[in-house]
Amino acid sequence: MKSTSSNTTMSNTTMSAHLLRCVRCSSVQGKVDRLFRCSECGELLEVSYPHWKTLDNESGARLKKIWQERRLSTAPEDVSGVWRYRELLPRTDLQHIVTMSEGNTPLLLLKKSARMLRLSHLLVKHQGMNPTGSFKDTGISVAISNAKAEGFPVVCCASTGNTSASVAAYAAHAEMKSLVFLPAGQITAGKLAQSLEYGATVVQLLTDFDGCLQLLHQVIQRFPAYLLNSVNPYRLEGQKTVAFELMEQMNWSVPDHVIVPGGNLANSSALGKGFLELVELGLISKPPKISVIQAAGANPLVRTMRENNGKELVKVTAETKATAIRIGNPASWRKAVAVLQNTGGTAEDVSEDEIALAKAELGAEGIGCEPASAATLAGLKKLVKSEFVKTTETVVLVLTGHMLKDADYMLQAKGNRFVGPVEADAGAVIRTLEQIYAGN
Ligand code: F0G
């Protein structure tokens, strides 16, 4: 396969030299341990690019053009909606890049909901359209490429189901082995089936997600596997590219708000990092307000903001039918707080009924997603009501997972258009239909 001509000059050598820096004490790390924690204070690390400078108009325009031209290429690193933006990613040899054409997800208008909320511009960025059906693929592509470059044969994660599906698929594609820890009985059938199908070793544990992650941390100190949870800062580098792709799709006109669901809080952190880097480089003038929506039964960030203005994490015992975000002790809380503060966004929580209603409303527009993703629309309704979001503003909801990830949720909520069983006879069917439509 052949890259575009601009790509030939934009080989891996133009990717960015980076270092890992602690998000609390800012100390730069030399060698990093398997848990990706600061050697000074134990906090999470982030990738930073010391050589970046603000681009002048001409260089900025050139970079945007290169990204656009790569869409015509057939080279895997150009087709990827992550690696296409590789000037803003850690330097990686092309031979180590593991890609399955992640990213490249649609941006769709949400017309009925916009009318209902009297919003002039409401869009969804559907990250559920990634190869394994969730946004995780963008981050896993970058982090597993780093694992490959470092020569690890085994990768691992703890998960509420989507990370594990993505890790299993990308590991299989890269001819690596994968090990996943899942909370027993708390993963949807679809997500569990994905991990099994892609050949992961699946360990179900009698604990919740937070317990699985803690246990995995202990295990990998004695077992040689590369950690792909979002404490791995390379994950966020992949996930931040959604900001770049979104800006291209919006012709570089910055929306007023971007709203994401929050669980372990890496996605909101990554999205914020992406937008703030675009500001730093001079490619946009300001970031959108980034707001995070959690289920009321799993709302540690909301409580942390309300109760102590983001200074100290308020852990909760998580409970919600939106199993993807059933997390009470989020690893990336400090990064997410910084994103809310640096972009002027907010944290809000929504009830189980509000999530179910929002999910049904999205479905009624032909836009399926999993319950966690629908929390964004439910949250938006509250933010419009409180006038945090003004009706003249442009809003983008990030839908994080595909609707088929959780078919049981929808079947339990089946509406009155689910008819039968009816006798397999045309007369009987017509009589039934006449009764139904007589009511409308
Ligand atoms: N939406 C979906 C569909 C998810 O699967 C997740 C997280 C989130 C939102 C929240 O993102 O954790 O970055 O705040 N799922 C993880 C997993 C925890 O293991 O699949 P976050």
Side-chain angles (χ1 to χ4, degrees):
M1 285 188 267
K2 192 101 188 75
S3 304
T4 55
S5 55
S6 53
N7 177 64
T8 343
T9 52
M10 285 288 147
S11 67
N12 53 335
T13 54
T14 60
M15 288 191 228
S16 290
H18 72 280
L19 43 82
L20 295 177
R21 190 189 293 280
C22 174
V23 295
R24 182 159 55 185
C25 72
S26 298
S27 73
V28 173
Q29 307 290 300
K31 202 165 159 25
V32 218
D33 69 16
R34 285 209 191 133
L35 299 180
F36 299 100
R37 291 277 169 178
C38 173
S39 54
E40 301 291 320
C41 73
E43 194 36 72
L44 293 188
L45 307 176
E46 71 175 2
V47 172
S48 88
Y49 302 94
H51 305 301
W52 281 7
K53 289 196 276 294
T54 307
L55 301 170
D56 58 33
N57 284 348
E58 200 184 315
S59 316
R62 201 177 318 127
L63 191 55
K64 289 177 183 173
K65 188 157 176 271
I66 287 165
W67 292 341
Q68 207 167 29
E69 281 175 2
R70 285 186 183 145
R71 290 177 180 273
L72 301 173
S73 162
T74 53
E77 66 275 14
D78 292 342
V79 173
S80 166
V82 169
W83 294 98
R84 181 182 301 141
Y85 308 101
R86 54 191 173 273
E87 285 75 10
L88 308 193
L89 294 176
R91 185 175 290 161
T92 309
D93 279 347
L94 293 184
Q95 57 169 346
H96 293 136
I97 289 181
V98 183
T99 173
M100 294 172 75
S101 305
E102 52 288 322
N104 298 310
T105 59
L107 180 67
L108 306 165
L109 272 176
L110 211 53
K111 292 185 212 154
K112 278 193 204 167
S113 302
R115 276 201 302 275
M116 195 172 68
L117 291 167
R118 299 181 201 287
L119 276 176
S120 40
H121 290 108
L122 178 58
L123 301 135
V124 295
K125 175 73 175 152
H126 205 326
Q127 293 290 86
M129 301 300 186
N130 267 289
T132 75
S134 85
F135 71 97
K136 305 288 181 179
D137 295 338
T138 55
I140 297 300
S141 175
V142 173
I144 203 169
S145 299
N146 187 61
K148 194 174 168 190
E150 292 194 6
F152 277 87
V154 185
V155 290
C156 65
C157 72
S159 180
T160 58
N162 279 327
T163 302
S164 46
S166 182
V167 164
Y170 277 74
H173 198 64
E175 300 185 64
M176 295 160 91
K177 289 191 169 32
S178 62
L179 165 66
V180 305
F181 281 14
L182 305 177
Q186 295 171 33
I187 302 294
T188 69
K191 295 177 188 176
L192 186 57
Q194 281 185 293
S195 288
L196 294 170
E197 177 79 357
Y198 297 134
T201 299
V202 177
V203 181
Q204 299 189 76
L205 291 163
L206 296 171
T207 179
D208 55 11
F209 167 82
D210 301 304
C212 286
L213 189 55
Q214 241 173 27
L215 204 72
L216 186 62
H217 286 174
Q218 291 167 22
V219 170
I220 58 170
Q221 305 203 42
R222 286 185 265 157
F223 184 83
Y226 181 92
L227 184 62
L228 282 177
N229 275 101
S230 53
V231 293
N232 179 328
Y234 295 99
R235 272 274 306 273
L236 273 65
E237 293 310 285
Q239 284 173 213
K240 77 182 183 186
T241 59
V242 65
F244 312 156
E245 188 173 278
L246 176 63
M247 287 319 304
E248 273 190 329
Q249 288 170 312
M250 298 191 74
N251 215 5
W252 296 94
S253 157
V254 182
D256 298 289
H257 296 264
V258 179
I259 300 181
V260 275
N264 216 17
L265 300 176
N267 203 30
S268 38
S269 305
L271 188 69
K273 189 172 194 284
F275 276 110
L276 292 167
E277 286 180 354
L278 292 179
V279 174
E280 182 191 339
L281 289 165
L283 294 173
I284 57 175
S285 57
K286 63 172 177 57
K289 293 188 178 79
I290 294 176
S291 294
V292 179
I293 312 299
Q294 297 192 300
N299 63 352
L301 179 68
V302 175
R303 289 195 50 189
T304 298
M305 296 308 291
R306 277 186 198 150
E307 292 171 28
N308 62 54
N309 201 22
K311 288 193 185 67
E312 210 170 305
L313 177 65
V314 179
K315 295 178 195 166
V316 305
T317 304
E319 193 47 78
T320 169
K321 282 189 193 161
T323 53
I325 51 173
R326 194 170 185 269
I327 295 175
N329 181 13
S332 294
W333 71 273
R334 217 181 274 278
K335 293 184 182 181
V337 166
V339 166
L340 297 188
Q341 289 170 344
N342 291 332
T343 68
T346 188
E348 185 56 90
D349 56 7
V350 288
S351 70
E352 297 294 304
D353 285 350
E354 286 168 332
I355 293 175
L357 179 61
K359 182 166 153 47
E361 286 166 355
L362 286 161
E365 296 208 40
I367 295 174
C369 64
E370 63 173 286
S373 311
T376 54
L377 178 60
L380 172 64
K381 290 186 199 173
K382 286 180 93 166
L383 297 181
V384 169
K385 201 164 173 200
S386 68
E387 295 183 23
F388 183 78
V389 172
K390 314 269 180 310
T391 51
T392 51
E393 293 179 320
T394 301
V395 182
V396 179
L397 306 178
V398 180
L399 302 185
T400 44
H402 196 281
M403 73 189 289
L404 294 177
K405 289 277 191 176
D406 193 352
D408 284 345
Y409 185 96
M410 294 178 283
L411 291 173
Q412 278 161 21
K414 61 186 182 290
N416 59 1
R417 290 193 186 272
F418 190 52
V419 181
V422 180
E423 206 67 52
D425 166 81
V429 173
I430 289 166
R431 275 195 300 283
T432 309
L433 292 179
E434 280 169 352
Q435 276 169 18
I436 292 167
Y437 288 109
N440 293 335

